[in-house]
Amino acid sequence: MGENTREKQRYTALDLITFIEEMEESIGKAYEVLEEKFSCTTDCTGCQFCETFADDTVHVPDWAKLEAGYSADTKFFFAVMSETKQIVLEPAEHTHDLGDVSENMQQRLADFGICLGELNESLMKDEVIYEE
């Protein structure tokens, strides 16, 4: 078996503390940017984005996507065919949405005052919201 020639990184306690402080500062800045862009002023009650996001959420299991010939990461939306009274799932044009964000993180964002519906719209558009 070959020997790993890469040297291990070594960190002191101060190195790790400094790293944590730098990360906390960056994370704080990221929350500020999200809050500035997607702030909810009234817990999203009556928010057009949040109301439609909750209604339009569709989860299709990976096995069903694969069996239908789609990749597991394909997003779907539904359409109602009024004349036949059928609900049809169709592949979405977007590649990301709030479904890509863990429920735990969604809750943290909501607790921070982020409008999840508006955030979802931005994710679907793959919108750049911050530049340095």
Side-chain angles (χ1 to χ4, degrees):
M1 190 174 276
E3 200 174 309
N4 189 351
T5 59
R6 196 182 92 164
E7 261 186 64
K8 289 185 180 181
Q9 295 290 325
R10 299 175 64 171
Y11 302 96
T12 65
L14 184 57
D15 291 335
L16 293 177
I17 290 167
T18 301
F19 172 75
I20 290 168
E21 288 176 332
E22 290 170 356
M23 291 305 297
E24 285 177 341
E25 186 176 318
S26 295
I27 289 168
K29 177 64 177 169
Y31 275 118
E32 288 173 14
V33 169
L34 289 170
E35 183 182 32
E36 184 178 305
K37 178 73 176 166
F38 307 112
S39 180
C40 268
T41 54
T42 58
D43 78 359
C44 287
T45 303
C47 171
Q48 69 176 5
F49 293 106
C50 290
E51 285 180 1
T52 57
F53 166 70
D55 290 342
D56 292 344
T57 302
V58 177
H59 174 74
V60 179
D62 289 348
W63 67 264
K65 293 177 188 179
L66 295 172
E67 191 170 313
Y70 296 101
S71 66
D73 62 349
T74 301
K75 305 286 183 192
F76 286 88
F77 72 95
F78 65 88
V80 177
M81 311 309 262
S82 55
E83 50 293 334
T84 62
K85 302 199 186 298
Q86 292 180 313
I87 297 172
V88 179
L89 291 178
E90 296 182 4
E93 293 180 7
H94 63 274
T95 56
H96 299 290
D97 59 30
L98 203 55
D100 297 316
V101 178
S102 72
E103 288 184 24
N104 186 23
M105 178 53 94
Q106 288 182 37
Q107 186 59 55
R108 282 188 289 190
L109 293 168
D111 291 346
F112 202 81
I114 306 299
C115 174
L116 297 182
E118 195 170 349
L119 174 62
N120 188 54
E121 291 287 318
S122 180
L123 291 168
M124 290 169 52
K125 294 175 185 173
D126 205 22
E127 195 174 45
V128 174
I129 63 165
Y130 178 75
E131 292 183 54
E132 283 190 303

